[in-house]
mmCIF file of all heavy atoms in Angstrom:
data_model
loop_
_atom_site.group_PDB
_atom_site.id
_atom_site.type_symbol
_atom_site.label_atom_id
_atom_site.label_comp_id
_atom_site.label_asym_id
_atom_site.label_seq_id
_atom_site.Cartn_x
_atom_site.Cartn_y
_atom_site.Cartn_z
ATOM 1 N N LEU Y 1 -44.287 33.826 21.059
ATOM 2 C CA LEU Y 1 -44.713 32.448 21.320
ATOM 3 C C LEU Y 1 -43.810 31.773 22.279
ATOM 4 O O LEU Y 1 -44.334 31.091 23.164
ATOM 5 C CB LEU Y 1 -44.675 31.663 19.857
ATOM 6 C CG LEU Y 1 -45.109 30.241 19.915
ATOM 7 C CD1 LEU Y 1 -46.528 30.168 20.460
ATOM 8 C CD2 LEU Y 1 -45.117 29.709 18.521
ATOM 9 N N THR Y 2 -42.534 31.999 22.231
ATOM 10 C CA THR Y 2 -41.587 31.424 23.312
ATOM 11 C C THR Y 2 -41.971 31.879 24.653
ATOM 12 O O THR Y 2 -42.083 31.132 25.576
ATOM 13 C CB THR Y 2 -40.180 31.750 22.982
ATOM 14 O OG1 THR Y 2 -39.846 31.202 21.728
ATOM 15 C CG2 THR Y 2 -39.170 31.285 24.032
ATOM 16 N N THR Y 3 -42.290 33.207 24.806
ATOM 17 C CA THR Y 3 -42.676 33.699 26.155
ATOM 18 C C THR Y 3 -43.954 33.128 26.559
ATOM 19 O O THR Y 3 -44.232 32.751 27.760
ATOM 20 C CB THR Y 3 -42.855 35.275 26.040
ATOM 21 O OG1 THR Y 3 -41.561 35.851 25.659
ATOM 22 C CG2 THR Y 3 -43.380 35.855 27.316
ATOM 23 N N TRP Y 4 -44.896 33.027 25.678
ATOM 24 C CA TRP Y 4 -46.264 32.478 26.125
ATOM 25 C C TRP Y 4 -46.126 30.995 26.477
ATOM 26 O O TRP Y 4 -46.676 30.580 27.525
ATOM 27 C CB TRP Y 4 -47.168 32.588 24.890
ATOM 28 C CG TRP Y 4 -48.663 32.328 25.310
ATOM 29 C CD1 TRP Y 4 -49.499 33.358 25.824
ATOM 30 C CD2 TRP Y 4 -49.419 31.142 25.362
ATOM 31 N NE1 TRP Y 4 -50.691 32.764 26.127
ATOM 32 C CE2 TRP Y 4 -50.639 31.477 25.856
ATOM 33 C CE3 TRP Y 4 -49.111 29.785 25.021
ATOM 34 C CZ2 TRP Y 4 -51.643 30.415 25.965
ATOM 35 C CZ3 TRP Y 4 -50.040 28.832 25.158
ATOM 36 C CH2 TRP Y 4 -51.284 29.110 25.636
ATOM 37 N N LEU Y 5 -45.332 30.202 25.872
ATOM 38 C CA LEU Y 5 -45.191 28.861 26.187
ATOM 39 C C LEU Y 5 -44.328 28.689 27.397
ATOM 40 O O LEU Y 5 -44.354 27.595 28.114
ATOM 41 C CB LEU Y 5 -44.522 28.100 25.050
ATOM 42 C CG LEU Y 5 -45.449 27.811 23.825
ATOM 43 C CD1 LEU Y 5 -44.590 27.346 22.693
ATOM 44 C CD2 LEU Y 5 -46.579 26.902 24.150
ATOM 45 N N THR Y 6 -43.475 29.568 27.837
ATOM 46 C CA THR Y 6 -42.606 29.590 28.944
ATOM 47 C C THR Y 6 -43.326 30.083 30.170
ATOM 48 O O THR Y 6 -43.021 29.543 31.275
ATOM 49 C CB THR Y 6 -41.379 30.413 28.702
ATOM 50 O OG1 THR Y 6 -40.754 29.925 27.495
ATOM 51 C CG2 THR Y 6 -40.350 30.259 29.797
ATOM 52 N N ASP Y 7 -44.296 30.954 30.077
ATOM 53 C CA ASP Y 7 -44.908 31.604 31.197
ATOM 54 C C ASP Y 7 -46.176 30.849 31.658
ATOM 55 O O ASP Y 7 -47.251 31.097 31.166
ATOM 56 C CB ASP Y 7 -45.285 33.044 30.878
ATOM 57 C CG ASP Y 7 -44.046 33.972 30.861
ATOM 58 O OD1 ASP Y 7 -43.047 33.582 31.401
ATOM 59 O OD2 ASP Y 7 -44.275 34.991 30.351
ATOM 60 N N ALA Y 8 -45.933 29.755 32.398
ATOM 61 C CA ALA Y 8 -47.012 28.868 32.693
ATOM 62 C C ALA Y 8 -48.223 29.511 33.365
ATOM 63 O O ALA Y 8 -49.368 29.056 33.310
ATOM 64 C CB ALA Y 8 -46.569 27.772 33.551
ATOM 65 N N HIS Y 9 -48.039 30.675 33.973
ATOM 66 C CA HIS Y 9 -49.225 31.310 34.701
ATOM 67 C C HIS Y 9 -50.299 31.849 33.653
ATOM 68 O O HIS Y 9 -51.369 32.132 34.044
ATOM 69 C CB HIS Y 9 -48.689 32.496 35.511
ATOM 70 C CG HIS Y 9 -48.100 33.640 34.699
ATOM 71 N ND1 HIS Y 9 -46.804 33.686 34.266
ATOM 72 C CD2 HIS Y 9 -48.691 34.643 34.177
ATOM 73 C CE1 HIS Y 9 -46.720 34.841 33.548
ATOM 74 N NE2 HIS Y 9 -47.717 35.397 33.524
ATOM 75 N N ASN Y 10 -49.990 31.858 32.416
ATOM 76 C CA ASN Y 10 -50.956 32.358 31.492
ATOM 77 C C ASN Y 10 -51.678 31.324 30.858
ATOM 78 O O ASN Y 10 -52.595 31.499 29.996
ATOM 79 C CB ASN Y 10 -50.307 33.291 30.465
ATOM 80 C CG ASN Y 10 -49.331 32.579 29.502
ATOM 81 O OD1 ASN Y 10 -49.296 31.327 29.425
ATOM 82 N ND2 ASN Y 10 -48.590 33.378 28.728
ATOM 83 N N TYR Y 11 -51.570 30.024 31.101
ATOM 84 C CA TYR Y 11 -52.295 29.004 30.569
ATOM 85 C C TYR Y 11 -53.656 28.799 31.115
ATOM 86 O O TYR Y 11 -53.818 28.954 32.308
ATOM 87 C CB TYR Y 11 -51.494 27.550 30.776
ATOM 88 C CG TYR Y 11 -50.258 27.491 30.087
ATOM 89 C CD1 TYR Y 11 -49.175 26.750 30.787
ATOM 90 C CD2 TYR Y 11 -49.925 27.919 28.839
ATOM 91 C CE1 TYR Y 11 -47.945 26.528 30.137
ATOM 92 C CE2 TYR Y 11 -48.747 27.717 28.211
ATOM 93 C CZ TYR Y 11 -47.722 27.042 28.854
ATOM 94 O OH TYR Y 11 -46.581 26.854 28.197
ATOM 95 N N PRO Y 12 -54.613 28.357 30.378
ATOM 96 C CA PRO Y 12 -55.879 27.897 30.995
ATOM 97 C C PRO Y 12 -55.577 26.727 31.847
ATOM 98 O O PRO Y 12 -54.569 26.066 31.684
ATOM 99 C CB PRO Y 12 -56.744 27.540 29.746
ATOM 100 C CG PRO Y 12 -56.025 28.124 28.521
ATOM 101 C CD PRO Y 12 -54.670 28.283 28.916
ATOM 102 N N GLY Y 13 -56.473 26.415 32.779
ATOM 103 C CA GLY Y 13 -56.218 25.285 33.639
ATOM 104 C C GLY Y 13 -55.979 23.887 32.985
ATOM 105 O O GLY Y 13 -55.216 23.177 33.441
ATOM 106 N N GLU Y 14 -56.569 23.697 31.841
ATOM 107 C CA GLU Y 14 -56.355 22.507 31.120
ATOM 108 C C GLU Y 14 -55.010 22.319 30.575
ATOM 109 O O GLU Y 14 -54.625 21.292 30.200
ATOM 110 C CB GLU Y 14 -57.388 22.330 29.857
ATOM 111 C CG GLU Y 14 -58.842 22.372 30.221
ATOM 112 C CD GLU Y 14 -59.292 23.793 30.473
ATOM 113 O OE1 GLU Y 14 -58.667 24.789 30.236
ATOM 114 O OE2 GLU Y 14 -60.538 23.899 30.841
ATOM 115 N N MET Y 15 -54.249 23.477 30.492
ATOM 116 C CA MET Y 15 -52.948 23.409 29.944
ATOM 117 C C MET Y 15 -51.875 23.618 30.981
ATOM 118 O O MET Y 15 -50.767 24.067 30.770
ATOM 119 C CB MET Y 15 -52.707 24.504 28.901
ATOM 120 C CG MET Y 15 -53.659 24.295 27.657
ATOM 121 S SD MET Y 15 -53.482 25.688 26.527
ATOM 122 C CE MET Y 15 -51.733 25.787 26.164
ATOM 123 N N ASP Y 16 -52.103 23.190 32.193
ATOM 124 C CA ASP Y 16 -51.168 23.275 33.263
ATOM 125 C C ASP Y 16 -50.071 22.244 33.144
ATOM 126 O O ASP Y 16 -50.181 21.195 33.682
ATOM 127 C CB ASP Y 16 -51.910 23.177 34.661
ATOM 128 C CG ASP Y 16 -50.998 23.588 35.797
ATOM 129 O OD1 ASP Y 16 -49.954 24.232 35.623
ATOM 130 O OD2 ASP Y 16 -51.358 23.273 36.955
ATOM 131 N N PHE Y 17 -48.963 22.641 32.486
ATOM 132 C CA PHE Y 17 -47.876 21.661 32.379
ATOM 133 C C PHE Y 17 -46.638 22.520 32.225
ATOM 134 O O PHE Y 17 -46.619 23.782 32.126
ATOM 135 C CB PHE Y 17 -48.033 20.799 31.097
ATOM 136 C CG PHE Y 17 -48.132 21.546 29.828
ATOM 137 C CD1 PHE Y 17 -46.908 21.905 29.078
ATOM 138 C CD2 PHE Y 17 -49.401 21.981 29.259
ATOM 139 C CE1 PHE Y 17 -47.006 22.631 27.923
ATOM 140 C CE2 PHE Y 17 -49.424 22.685 28.156
ATOM 141 C CZ PHE Y 17 -48.237 22.980 27.443
ATOM 142 N N TYR Y 18 -45.468 21.866 32.350
ATOM 143 C CA TYR Y 18 -44.210 22.513 32.287
ATOM 144 C C TYR Y 18 -43.411 21.942 31.079
ATOM 145 O O TYR Y 18 -43.378 20.784 30.882
ATOM 146 C CB TYR Y 18 -43.399 22.311 33.550
ATOM 147 C CG TYR Y 18 -41.984 22.938 33.461
ATOM 148 C CD1 TYR Y 18 -41.791 24.258 33.647
ATOM 149 C CD2 TYR Y 18 -40.905 22.094 33.147
ATOM 150 C CE1 TYR Y 18 -40.495 24.719 33.493
ATOM 151 C CE2 TYR Y 18 -39.664 22.614 33.036
ATOM 152 C CZ TYR Y 18 -39.433 23.989 33.280
ATOM 153 O OH TYR Y 18 -38.211 24.414 33.150
ATOM 154 N N LEU Y 19 -42.797 22.820 30.249
ATOM 155 C CA LEU Y 19 -41.918 22.438 29.199
ATOM 156 C C LEU Y 19 -40.510 22.828 29.491
ATOM 157 O O LEU Y 19 -40.214 23.966 29.904
ATOM 158 C CB LEU Y 19 -42.366 23.146 27.885
ATOM 159 C CG LEU Y 19 -43.759 22.744 27.315
ATOM 160 C CD1 LEU Y 19 -44.099 23.664 26.155
ATOM 161 C CD2 LEU Y 19 -43.756 21.286 26.952
ATOM 162 N N GLU Y 20 -39.515 21.900 29.274
ATOM 163 C CA GLU Y 20 -38.070 22.288 29.373
ATOM 164 C C GLU Y 20 -37.772 23.314 28.241
ATOM 165 O O GLU Y 20 -38.463 23.316 27.217
ATOM 166 C CB GLU Y 20 -37.213 20.977 29.209
ATOM 167 C CG GLU Y 20 -37.405 20.041 30.317
ATOM 168 C CD GLU Y 20 -36.923 20.548 31.658
ATOM 169 O OE1 GLU Y 20 -36.010 21.418 31.673
ATOM 170 O OE2 GLU Y 20 -37.394 19.992 32.680
ATOM 171 N N PRO Y 21 -36.692 24.150 28.384
ATOM 172 C CA PRO Y 21 -36.434 25.111 27.405
ATOM 173 C C PRO Y 21 -36.179 24.541 25.937
ATOM 174 O O PRO Y 21 -36.680 25.071 25.041
ATOM 175 C CB PRO Y 21 -35.113 25.745 27.966
ATOM 176 C CG PRO Y 21 -35.303 25.638 29.409
ATOM 177 C CD PRO Y 21 -35.955 24.301 29.594
ATOM 178 N N ASP Y 22 -35.656 23.366 25.925
ATOM 179 C CA ASP Y 22 -35.372 22.699 24.599
ATOM 180 C C ASP Y 22 -36.739 22.252 24.001
ATOM 181 O O ASP Y 22 -36.871 22.250 22.745
ATOM 182 C CB ASP Y 22 -34.358 21.550 24.651
ATOM 183 C CG ASP Y 22 -34.830 20.457 25.528
ATOM 184 O OD1 ASP Y 22 -35.391 20.661 26.570
ATOM 185 O OD2 ASP Y 22 -34.507 19.252 25.094
ATOM 186 N N GLU Y 23 -37.653 21.852 24.862
ATOM 187 C CA GLU Y 23 -38.984 21.489 24.313
ATOM 188 C C GLU Y 23 -39.640 22.690 23.834
ATOM 189 O O GLU Y 23 -40.365 22.553 22.776
ATOM 190 C CB GLU Y 23 -39.710 20.767 25.387
ATOM 191 C CG GLU Y 23 -39.261 19.448 25.860
ATOM 192 C CD GLU Y 23 -39.852 18.906 27.134
ATOM 193 O OE1 GLU Y 23 -40.162 19.738 28.037
ATOM 194 O OE2 GLU Y 23 -40.123 17.683 27.167
ATOM 195 N N VAL Y 24 -39.592 23.775 24.497
ATOM 196 C CA VAL Y 24 -40.211 25.037 24.010
ATOM 197 C C VAL Y 24 -39.640 25.403 22.633
ATOM 198 O O VAL Y 24 -40.336 25.671 21.704
ATOM 199 C CB VAL Y 24 -40.032 26.207 25.026
ATOM 200 C CG1 VAL Y 24 -40.463 27.509 24.405
ATOM 201 C CG2 VAL Y 24 -40.811 25.954 26.303
ATOM 202 N N GLY Y 25 -38.363 25.342 22.551
ATOM 203 C CA GLY Y 25 -37.631 25.650 21.278
ATOM 204 C C GLY Y 25 -38.177 24.811 20.155
ATOM 205 O O GLY Y 25 -38.406 25.202 19.020
ATOM 206 N N GLN Y 26 -38.231 23.465 20.366
ATOM 207 C CA GLN Y 26 -38.709 22.505 19.281
ATOM 208 C C GLN Y 26 -40.173 22.877 19.025
ATOM 209 O O GLN Y 26 -40.510 22.776 17.810
ATOM 210 C CB GLN Y 26 -38.532 21.143 19.773
ATOM 211 C CG GLN Y 26 -37.160 20.620 20.035
ATOM 212 C CD GLN Y 26 -36.978 19.330 20.697
ATOM 213 O OE1 GLN Y 26 -37.918 18.593 20.788
ATOM 214 N NE2 GLN Y 26 -35.827 19.046 21.190
ATOM 215 N N LEU Y 27 -41.075 23.111 20.001
ATOM 216 C CA LEU Y 27 -42.472 23.369 19.663
ATOM 217 C C LEU Y 27 -42.569 24.678 18.883
ATOM 218 O O LEU Y 27 -43.359 24.741 17.909
ATOM 219 C CB LEU Y 27 -43.125 23.428 20.995
ATOM 220 C CG LEU Y 27 -44.685 23.680 20.920
ATOM 221 C CD1 LEU Y 27 -45.379 22.582 20.056
ATOM 222 C CD2 LEU Y 27 -45.256 23.636 22.305
ATOM 223 N N VAL Y 28 -41.840 25.634 19.284
ATOM 224 C CA VAL Y 28 -41.846 26.946 18.511
ATOM 225 C C VAL Y 28 -41.430 26.768 17.155
ATOM 226 O O VAL Y 28 -41.951 27.188 16.137
ATOM 227 C CB VAL Y 28 -41.077 28.017 19.221
ATOM 228 C CG1 VAL Y 28 -40.890 29.296 18.357
ATOM 229 C CG2 VAL Y 28 -41.767 28.394 20.635
ATOM 230 N N ASP Y 29 -40.302 26.078 17.011
ATOM 231 C CA ASP Y 29 -39.733 25.801 15.538
ATOM 232 C C ASP Y 29 -40.859 25.135 14.716
ATOM 233 O O ASP Y 29 -41.151 25.392 13.572
ATOM 234 C CB ASP Y 29 -38.565 24.853 15.603
ATOM 235 C CG ASP Y 29 -37.301 25.564 16.094
ATOM 236 O OD1 ASP Y 29 -37.296 26.845 16.154
ATOM 237 O OD2 ASP Y 29 -36.320 24.896 16.468
ATOM 238 N N TYR Y 30 -41.521 24.079 15.254
ATOM 239 C CA TYR Y 30 -42.491 23.311 14.553
ATOM 240 C C TYR Y 30 -43.728 24.196 14.223
ATOM 241 O O TYR Y 30 -44.178 24.252 13.074
ATOM 242 C CB TYR Y 30 -43.005 22.108 15.233
ATOM 243 C CG TYR Y 30 -44.246 21.558 14.540
ATOM 244 C CD1 TYR Y 30 -44.000 20.874 13.321
ATOM 245 C CD2 TYR Y 30 -45.475 21.615 15.100
ATOM 246 C CE1 TYR Y 30 -45.164 20.329 12.613
ATOM 247 C CE2 TYR Y 30 -46.626 21.120 14.372
ATOM 248 C CZ TYR Y 30 -46.399 20.506 13.107
ATOM 249 O OH TYR Y 30 -47.498 20.023 12.454
ATOM 250 N N MET Y 31 -44.130 24.973 15.253
ATOM 251 C CA MET Y 31 -45.381 25.801 15.072
ATOM 252 C C MET Y 31 -45.093 26.863 13.987
ATOM 253 O O MET Y 31 -46.034 27.185 13.192
ATOM 254 C CB MET Y 31 -45.910 26.432 16.296
ATOM 255 C CG MET Y 31 -46.488 25.441 17.274
ATOM 256 S SD MET Y 31 -47.103 26.013 18.837
ATOM 257 C CE MET Y 31 -48.589 26.814 18.274
ATOM 258 N N LEU Y 32 -43.894 27.463 13.881
ATOM 259 C CA LEU Y 32 -43.629 28.415 12.990
ATOM 260 C C LEU Y 32 -43.501 27.799 11.491
ATOM 261 O O LEU Y 32 -43.681 28.602 10.541
ATOM 262 C CB LEU Y 32 -42.336 29.173 13.241
ATOM 263 C CG LEU Y 32 -42.465 30.015 14.566
ATOM 264 C CD1 LEU Y 32 -41.114 30.754 14.904
ATOM 265 C CD2 LEU Y 32 -43.539 31.099 14.398
ATOM 266 N N THR Y 33 -43.324 26.593 11.335
ATOM 267 C CA THR Y 33 -43.502 25.886 10.019
ATOM 268 C C THR Y 33 -44.868 25.884 9.480
ATOM 269 O O THR Y 33 -45.105 25.684 8.349
ATOM 270 C CB THR Y 33 -42.881 24.586 9.963
ATOM 271 O OG1 THR Y 33 -43.875 23.554 10.664
ATOM 272 C CG2 THR Y 33 -41.554 24.367 10.546
ATOM 273 N N LEU Y 34 -45.844 26.152 10.316
ATOM 274 C CA LEU Y 34 -47.272 26.180 9.948
ATOM 275 C C LEU Y 34 -47.663 27.561 9.399
ATOM 276 O O LEU Y 34 -48.836 27.750 9.002
ATOM 277 C CB LEU Y 34 -48.114 25.831 11.101
ATOM 278 C CG LEU Y 34 -47.882 24.413 11.683
ATOM 279 C CD1 LEU Y 34 -48.703 24.166 12.963
ATOM 280 C CD2 LEU Y 34 -48.161 23.303 10.571
ATOM 281 N N ARG Y 35 -46.766 28.596 9.412
ATOM 282 C CA ARG Y 35 -47.127 29.854 8.954
ATOM 283 C C ARG Y 35 -47.252 29.886 7.497
ATOM 284 O O ARG Y 35 -46.556 29.180 6.779
ATOM 285 C CB ARG Y 35 -45.995 30.905 9.330
ATOM 286 C CG ARG Y 35 -45.945 31.056 10.831
ATOM 287 C CD ARG Y 35 -45.125 32.204 11.082
ATOM 288 N NE ARG Y 35 -46.036 33.234 11.687
ATOM 289 C CZ ARG Y 35 -45.650 34.326 12.255
ATOM 290 N NH1 ARG Y 35 -44.435 34.546 12.417
ATOM 291 N NH2 ARG Y 35 -46.438 35.110 12.811
ATOM 292 N N ARG Y 36 -48.323 30.593 6.994
ATOM 293 C CA ARG Y 36 -48.521 30.631 5.547
ATOM 294 C C ARG Y 36 -48.808 32.171 5.182
ATOM 295 O O ARG Y 36 -49.452 32.906 5.878
ATOM 296 C CB ARG Y 36 -49.816 29.934 5.176
ATOM 297 C CG ARG Y 36 -49.799 28.450 5.573
ATOM 298 C CD ARG Y 36 -48.779 27.693 4.663
ATOM 299 N NE ARG Y 36 -48.743 26.277 4.888
ATOM 300 C CZ ARG Y 36 -47.794 25.691 5.706
ATOM 301 N NH1 ARG Y 36 -46.944 26.385 6.385
ATOM 302 N NH2 ARG Y 36 -47.788 24.389 5.921
ATOM 303 N N GLU Y 37 -48.216 32.647 4.089
ATOM 304 C CA GLU Y 37 -48.435 33.926 3.673
ATOM 305 C C GLU Y 37 -49.897 34.124 3.229
ATOM 306 O O GLU Y 37 -50.562 33.213 2.713
ATOM 307 C CB GLU Y 37 -47.612 34.200 2.431
ATOM 308 C CG GLU Y 37 -47.668 35.713 1.924
ATOM 309 C CD GLU Y 37 -46.677 35.990 0.826
ATOM 310 O OE1 GLU Y 37 -45.405 35.403 0.956
ATOM 311 O OE2 GLU Y 37 -46.892 36.828 0.023
ATOM 312 N N ASN Y 38 -50.581 35.223 3.557
ATOM 313 C CA ASN Y 38 -51.985 35.425 3.316
ATOM 314 C C ASN Y 38 -52.860 34.398 3.905
ATOM 315 O O ASN Y 38 -53.866 33.972 3.274
ATOM 316 C CB ASN Y 38 -52.254 35.570 1.876
ATOM 317 C CG ASN Y 38 -51.374 36.733 1.226
ATOM 318 O OD1 ASN Y 38 -51.325 37.762 1.797
ATOM 319 N ND2 ASN Y 38 -50.777 36.504 0.101
#
């Protein structure tokens, strides 16, 4: 997830933006709280 959010070349055109490394970390941390078993 960190790699995907850091490699801007893989975004669809609508998602053409840049995130600072600390923003990537915060976003990854939040998104991983959404994980659920099964």
Side-chain angles (χ1 to χ4, degrees):
L1 184 54
T2 298
T3 297
W4 196 87
L5 290 168
T6 305
D7 290 340
H9 67 274
N10 65 13
Y11 293 145
E14 298 85 3
M15 293 177 56
D16 188 17
F17 62 88
Y18 175 79
L19 295 172
E20 294 291 336
D22 63 321
E23 294 171 319
V24 171
Q26 291 171 17
L27 184 54
V28 168
D29 287 345
Y30 172 70
M31 289 181 75
L32 292 178
T33 69
L34 300 173
R35 293 192 114 168
R36 302 291 182 265
E37 191 172 321
N38 300 316

